[in-house]
């Protein structure tokens, strides 16, 4: 009898141990960025709601966007909280959703992303990238930083602009007159400090969390791109989860993405004020200057819809 009880306890222990799940979650962004904050909240929520059965290991700001995306596709990490790299690499014909001057605002993005075009993009990310798209986060509009004041289109001519390694963005900024310098996110601060680049563009939490106010003097509010963060999960990892755990992950991720989006909506003006407090001079461009910049970008964007994003047109996207 005692032996039977011992065997039963042992079997139960084995079952309990096998039920433990550890997920690795990675972001290329630094601590303090909204996507790093969202990742930390996901860890806290799922560990509490699973009573510790699911634990999450966080990897913050240690690898580039390119590397984190590859690691998630290959299952080296299970989750990534990142920029538009998953769409750019695995659904490139739909990458217009994350390109300058195309999407009007986050509500417009959601209409496109949750509509027929976005569903096709998600299917391609799953098929070619082995990743499930679990949610998106509003990161705020991308703005411009520099060491000289930007008041006009002419001020952008020949400026050495740090851009991520994104060819479509390079083409658009070249059309505007800038001289793009492609630098991975992990080298952003150093590139500006060393003078490899004179300017950068990015969402406000990127500018703040990377402390660009230490190496850039001006913040110009261009609102040239509605910044979006993507959360993806390795498809193989996801499919190994029970139906109950899949639903738990989805439910918590919905809450996390909504929280992060609202956090940025509530704090964009506060972040600008904090950057100003840290020494950056804030410039707001008038509508005519912004329109001039957009007009310079227009031919490159229309050409990209013909050659790189042929699944739709700029006119059709704007109509959604």
């Amino acid at each position: 009898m005692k032996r039977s009880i011992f065997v039963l306890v042992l079997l139960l222990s084995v079952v309990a141990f096998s039920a433990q799940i550890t997920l690795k979650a990675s972001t290329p962004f630094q601590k303090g960025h909204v996507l790093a904050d969202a990742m930390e909240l996901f860890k806290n929520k799922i560990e509490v709601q699973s009573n510790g059965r699911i634990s999450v290991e966080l990897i913050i700001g240690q690898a580039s966007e390119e590397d984190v995306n590859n690691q998630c596709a290959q299952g080296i990490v299970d989750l990534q909280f990142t920029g538009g790299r998953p769409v750019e690499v695995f659904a490139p014909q739909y990458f217009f959703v994350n390109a300058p001057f195309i999407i009007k605002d986050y509500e417009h993005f959601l209409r496109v992303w949750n509509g027929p075009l976005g569903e096709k993009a998600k299917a391609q990310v799953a098929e070619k990238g082995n990743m499930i798209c679990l949610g998106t986060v509003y990161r705020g509009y991308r703005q411009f930083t520099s060491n000289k004041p930007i008041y006009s289109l002419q001020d952008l001519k020949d400026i050495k602009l740090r851009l991520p390694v994104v060819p479509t963005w390079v083409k658009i900024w070249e059309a505007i007159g800038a001289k793009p310098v492609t630098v991975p996110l992990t080298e952003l601060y150093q590139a500006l400090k060393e003078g490899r680049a004179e300017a950068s563009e990015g969402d406000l939490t990127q500018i703040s969390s990377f402390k660009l106010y230490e190496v850039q003097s001006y913040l110009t509010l261009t609102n040239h791109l509605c910044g979006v963060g993507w959360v993806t999960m390795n498809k193989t990892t996801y499919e190994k989860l029970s139906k109950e755990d899949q639903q738990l992950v989805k439910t918590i991720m919905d809450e996390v993405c909504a929280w992060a989006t609202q956090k940025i909506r509530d704090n964009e003006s506060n972040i600008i004020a904090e950057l100003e407090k840290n020494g950056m001079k804030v410039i707001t461009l008038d509508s005519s200057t912004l329109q001039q910049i957009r007009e310079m970008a227009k031919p490159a964007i229309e050409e990209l819809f013909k050659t790189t994003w042929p699944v739709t047109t700029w006119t059709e996207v704007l109509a959604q």
Side-chain angles (χ1 to χ4, degrees), residues 136-171:
T136 61
V137 172
Y138 171 63
R139 290 168 52 189
Y141 287 99
R142 294 181 79 92
Q143 313 292 4
F144 202 92
T145 75
S146 59
N147 278 324
K148 73 171 188 177
I150 303 296
Y151 293 112
S152 67
L153 176 63
Q154 186 62 30
D155 293 329
L156 293 172
K157 184 172 176 56
D158 294 331
I159 195 167
K160 290 192 293 183
L161 171 63
R162 178 272 166 183
L163 287 177
V165 188
V166 182
T168 51
W169 291 18
V170 169
K171 287 182 181 179

Side-chain angles (χ1 to χ4, degrees), residues 210-230:
F210 278 84
K211 300 183 179 180
L212 297 193
Y213 48 81
E214 295 179 350
V215 290
Q216 298 272 265
S217 302
Y218 295 91
L219 171 68
T220 304
L221 303 181
T222 50
N223 292 339
H224 57 269
L225 194 158
C226 176
V228 177
W230 271 263

Side-chain angles (χ1 to χ4, degrees), residues 20 28 50 66 69 71 124 146 150 161 163 202 218 228 291:
Q20 293 294 317
S50 69
E66 294 81 6
N69 188 55
Q71 289 165 5
Q124 284 196 12
S146 59
I150 303 296
L161 171 63
L163 287 177
Y218 295 91
V228 177
Q291 185 58 33

